[in-house]
Amino acid sequence: QYATSNGTATTADADYVGVGLTTLTFNPGVTSQPANVTVNGDTKFEPNETFNVNLSNAVSATIADPQGVGTITNDDAIPVITINNVSVTEGNVGTVPATFTVTLSNASSQTITVDYATANGTATAPADYVAILTTQLTFDPGVTSRQITVLVNGDLLVEGNETFNVNLTNPVNATIGDATGTGTILDDD
């Protein structure tokens, strides 16, 4: 008989379909039989993972090696991080949020981090927007999208549209495909 057991691959994470105690029969003269286990595909970046096929309860034979290890080889690319561009109308008083979306190309089983900070363009901090010094953004396993909010200051100045940037740096467990999100402050005066 054979049955599966988890290694680094688990049925809870849907890496493979577990097999309960199943009997293999070798008719006279037969020397091999398949013990099939279904492996589930995914698009999640993860290390290679393993599961076990355990033999037990031999009848008319002995078991020399009671465990086979199945290795699921990862074929998914390391996630690529991108950030979008945002336009907001500044308003006359208070602040308006400029919300950038930072996206992974695919999910990962690992925690991913990337640093971000704002940088002046034609818009300058603190007059036009509230600067963000280097801050870390974290993607927990399975998460593919996070947001960064920059506060834009309202005013009554006639100054034309202005821009600032949100720059991504220092990725961990990912690469950066688009490192700069441009925020455009639309003048409404």
Side-chain angles (χ1 to χ4, degrees):
Q1 293 180 313
Y2 75 97
T4 57
S5 64
N6 291 335
T8 53
T10 66
T11 55
D13 196 33
D15 295 316
Y16 70 99
V17 178
V19 176
L21 206 56
T22 302
T23 300
L24 289 177
T25 300
F26 293 81
N27 290 322
V30 174
T31 59
S32 68
Q33 290 281 29
N36 294 318
V37 178
T38 300
V39 173
N40 296 320
D42 63 31
T43 58
K44 182 170 53 176
F45 179 74
E46 54 196 345
N48 295 342
E49 297 176 301
T50 61
F51 63 91
N52 304 309
V53 175
N54 303 303
L55 303 179
S56 63
N57 305 321
V59 175
S60 300
T62 59
I63 298 174
D65 182 358
Q67 188 173 78
V69 176
T71 300
I72 303 171
T73 304
N74 179 61
D75 63 352
D76 301 304
I78 189 168
V80 178
I81 304 170
T82 58
I83 185 169
N84 69 332
N85 298 322
V86 175
S87 295
V88 296
T89 302
E90 68 180 359
N92 295 329
V93 294
T95 59
V96 176
T99 302
F100 295 81
T101 301
V102 181
T103 307
L104 300 180
S105 58
N106 52 290
S108 177
S109 66
Q110 301 171 312
T111 299
I112 292 172
T113 61
V114 65
D115 293 340
Y116 67 93
T118 55
N120 290 339
T122 53
T124 59
D128 298 310
Y129 69 96
V130 179
I132 298 175
L133 301 178
T134 302
T135 305
Q136 190 173 79
L137 187 66
T138 301
F139 294 84
D140 290 327
V143 174
T144 58
S145 180
R146 294 291 314 272
Q147 294 186 323
I148 297 169
T149 298
V150 179
L151 297 178
V152 172
N153 298 321
D155 63 36
L156 298 172
L157 300 174
V158 177
E159 55 194 343
N161 297 340
E162 298 177 300
T163 62
F164 64 92
N165 295 321
V166 175
N167 296 317
L168 304 179
T169 57
N170 303 319
V172 175
N173 295 323
T175 61
I176 295 177
D178 181 358
T180 302
T182 300
T184 301
I185 303 172
L186 303 174
D187 184 51
D188 61 351
D189 300 308

